[in-house]
Amino acid sequence: YSVLIVLNLLAIADAKYQFVAAALTSIGHLSIGLLHAYRLLHPFTFEVFGYPWTYGASLREVLIVIPFGLVSLFVAIRIKLRGRHD
């Protein structure tokens, strides 16, 4: 996650990193969100650093992370389309 944060910070300073940062942010967050959505539909044990992850926490991830991933995807698409028109 630290690499993703650094990439997004680079994208602030240099526009050439914006599409890659937005696309990878989208892919990463959608992957995590969809994993938790799958877990809610097909329950399985999930642990983080040796601690059980609750189903409520998975629901929170679905409600927050999937929309963020979709917004990031929209931003990546807009950046790519903007590049075609410049």
Side-chain angles (χ1 to χ4, degrees):
Y1 207 77
S2 296
V3 172
L4 192 57
I5 292 169
V6 169
L7 183 58
N8 277 279
L9 290 172
L10 284 172
I12 293 168
D14 192 339
K16 70 181 175 186
Y17 296 109
Q18 289 179 350
F19 173 74
V20 173
L24 290 177
T25 297
S26 175
I27 291 166
H29 284 86
L30 287 174
S31 297
I32 290 168
L34 291 173
L35 170 69
H36 286 284
Y38 180 83
R39 180 175 185 248
L40 292 174
L41 296 173
H42 305 282
F44 60 88
T45 302
F46 192 71
E47 292 184 2
V48 177
F49 300 117
Y51 295 98
W53 191 271
T54 66
Y55 289 101
S58 283
L59 178 60
R60 182 189 67 228
E61 291 293 309
V62 168
L63 294 175
I64 295 171
V65 176
I66 289 177
F68 183 75
L70 292 172
V71 169
S72 299
L73 178 62
F74 175 75
V75 169
I77 291 168
R78 291 289 303 234
I79 291 168
K80 196 64 164 176
L81 292 175
R82 183 184 68 204
R84 290 185 186 170
H85 300 295
D86 288 343

